Amino acid sequence: MFNRKLVLEDGTVYYGVGFGSSREISGEVVFNTSMTGYQEIISDPSYYGQIVMLTYPLVGNYGINRDDFETIAPFINGLIVKEYSEHPSNFRSEETLDSFLKAHDIPGLYGIDTRKLTKSIRSAGTLRGIITNIDIPNDEVLNRLRLLPELRDQVRRTSTTKPYIVPGRGHRIVLVDYGMKHGILRELTKRNCHVTVVPYDYSAENILRLKPDGIMLTNGPGDPQDVPEAIQMIGKVIHHVPVFGICLGHQLIALACGAETEKMKFGHRGGNHAVKDLVTGKAFLTSQNHGYAVKKSSLGNTELELTQISLNDNSVEGIRHRVLPTFSVQYHPESSPGPEDSNYLFDEFLQVIDQHIAKQEVHVYA
């Protein structure tokens, strides 16, 4: 353990103790309010390039195990916690959080006032920061921070580079990987789907050539407007096959249908976000991780209708096409970590596929 500091672009400095890697790292500083699930959070590709702060005070107390990863390698740039537990107690634990971060060259920082930092982000909005050694002058760090370019290629860096198949006997699903969490794949294979995972820039023609029963668009990092290839592809395939989008996939569907997206002040990241379904009137808790959202006012000039809203800030949480078998949600129905209240959406997607197939058969035999 060694003394380190976090320097934010507004000039604020937080002094703490380093763990994990000792290298200097920069990134957008965001906070997650989940009480558990730090292993899944660390391995979520949607955090690519970000320094993640966990608001729950004690982290590392149940270690790291082989079963709770959402990707093979973690994508966060850094981790900030109030108190780090050096001695985990869990029958599944195979190594400490510190040794895991060291193995993946990810810096950690603990011992700072995370409550104060959270309030600062909620007030000023998301800030960029650098975790560095305590002896480097703050002015020098700030100058480096101000010269850092904005990330624009996060999806390319987190998506698979080649298609691959996860065999099943059920519906044939093309899963477009924009930075996919394995929880989505688990939910589809649990339902015996035959899944073909394709890269983010796979063309509509190549996807339709696979003859899918349905297409699922995954979560991913960054600004949806930085992925024009995906927007063009979605605009074509929704006229042929049922489509279900999650998180970034949800935003891309909105853009493909003529709606707009916007950067949020500090985003939604945690496992306790309340959402209301406007169709059923029911409310449920969801797991969320996004810094962009669909503009509610932009839906009026499209064929999309609002189906779900956030009970915290009234932002868009679900949309559905009025004519085509296409729908999406802003949150993560596969959770990982978080509540499983919205897990039914995977079954709903398969029902939409069944209805679409039935309509096609009626048309063929009519």
Side-chain angles (χ1 to χ4, degrees):
M1 305 301 176
F2 38 94
N3 292 331
R4 303 206 84 191
K5 63 184 176 183
L6 168 70
V7 181
L8 298 176
E9 61 182 316
D10 65 357
T12 307
V13 181
Y14 292 84
Y15 296 93
V17 181
F19 67 108
S21 171
S22 60
R23 72 183 177 108
E24 180 177 286
I25 196 66
S26 63
E28 187 179 51
V29 182
V30 299
F31 65 87
N32 186 296
T33 59
S34 296
M35 295 176 67
T36 60
Y38 57 79
Q39 183 171 330
E40 293 93 325
I41 292 167
I42 290 169
S43 58
D44 183 348
S46 294
Y47 285 113
Y48 179 88
Q50 295 178 326
I51 297 173
V52 180
M53 177 188 61
L54 302 177
T55 61
Y56 190 73
L58 179 62
V59 176
N61 53 318
Y62 55 84
I64 296 288
N65 67 77
R66 69 170 193 175
D67 298 324
D68 292 339
F69 291 110
E70 286 302 307
T71 48
I72 293 175
F75 285 96
I76 64 169
N77 270 14
L79 182 68
I80 300 174
V81 301
K82 176 67 173 72
E83 181 181 350
Y84 164 65
S85 176
E86 296 183 49
H87 305 288
S89 177
N90 182 351
F91 73 97
R92 292 200 302 159
S93 177
E94 297 170 333
E95 65 175 314
T96 66
L97 177 58
D98 176 58
S99 65
F100 176 79
L101 294 181
K102 279 189 173 74
H104 293 279
D105 203 20
I106 298 173
L109 182 68
Y110 77 91
I112 73 167
D113 188 342
T114 53
R115 179 177 292 182
K116 180 181 178 181
L117 179 53
T118 301
K119 288 182 176 180
S120 176
I121 294 173
R122 287 179 64 90
S123 175
T126 301
L127 297 166
R128 292 194 299 174
I130 291 181
I131 296 177
T132 188
N133 293 333
I134 202 166
D135 57 348
I136 299 178
N138 293 335
D139 289 343
E140 180 183 329
V141 178
L142 273 172
N143 288 334
R144 289 209 299 269
L145 185 56
R146 288 164 183 155
L147 293 174
L148 289 174
E150 291 285 342
L151 287 175
R152 292 295 179 191
D153 61 348
Q154 299 99 312
V155 169
R156 180 183 66 82
R157 291 175 179 271
T158 55
S159 173
T160 184
T161 56
K162 294 181 179 180
Y164 61 92
I165 291 174
V166 181
R169 295 292 186 180
H171 289 299
R172 301 181 71 88
I173 306 297
V174 167
L175 187 60
V176 187
D177 179 7
Y178 299 117
M180 174 188 66
K181 289 171 63 182
H182 288 171
I184 297 173
L185 195 55
R186 283 195 297 268
E187 291 300 328
L188 291 174
T189 55
K190 186 190 300 183
R191 291 161 174 81
N192 204 29
C193 294
H194 179 93
V195 183
T196 303
V197 182
V198 301
Y200 77 99
D201 56 353
Y202 221 56
S203 70
E205 292 73 22
N206 285 336
I207 288 176
L208 294 175
R209 193 171 289 120
L210 295 172
K211 306 296 182 184
D213 296 321
I215 299 171
M216 177 165 281
L217 312 174
T218 76
N219 64 292
D223 186 341
Q225 297 184 55
D226 291 339
V227 201
E229 326 77 321
I231 298 169
Q232 295 170 10
M233 177 275 289
I234 295 166
K236 295 176 182 178
V237 299
I238 60 174
H239 295 281
H240 302 277
V241 185
V243 178
F244 176 29
I246 291 174
C247 201
L248 181 63
H250 156 82
Q251 298 161 10
L252 291 171
I253 286 175
L255 291 172
C257 293
E260 300 173 18
T261 57
E262 59 186 345
K263 186 174 176 62
M264 306 176 79
K265 187 174 182 180
F266 50 83
H268 293 171
R269 297 176 179 90
N272 59 349
H273 289 264
V275 169
K276 181 179 180 180
D277 190 302
L278 300 178
V279 179
T280 64
K282 294 181 178 180
F284 44 90
L285 292 178
T286 65
S287 174
Q288 301 199 13
N289 175 17
H290 61 99
Y292 291 81
V294 176
K295 273 188 182 179
K296 187 186 293 185
S297 59
S298 72
L299 295 175
N301 298 321
T302 72
E303 288 294 326
L304 300 172
E305 62 179 343
L306 181 66
T307 58
Q308 297 178 349
I309 59 169
S310 167
L311 289 176
N312 292 332
D313 61 9
N314 210 37
S315 59
V316 176
E317 293 287 354
I319 55 176
R320 178 174 61 197
H321 200 284
R322 297 178 188 275
V323 180
L324 303 173
T326 296
F327 70 104
S328 61
V329 293
Q330 180 61 79
Y331 50 88
H332 289 262
E334 83 287 353
S335 59
S336 302
E340 298 181 353
D341 300 20
S342 55
N343 198 259
Y344 71 91
L345 287 169
F346 290 95
D347 297 315
E348 188 172 300
F349 178 45
L350 299 184
Q351 291 169 9
V352 170
I353 291 174
D354 288 334
Q355 293 167 2
H356 180 71
I357 292 174
K359 286 182 181 179
Q360 288 182 316
E361 291 175 347
V362 169
H363 177 73
V364 169
Y365 292 109

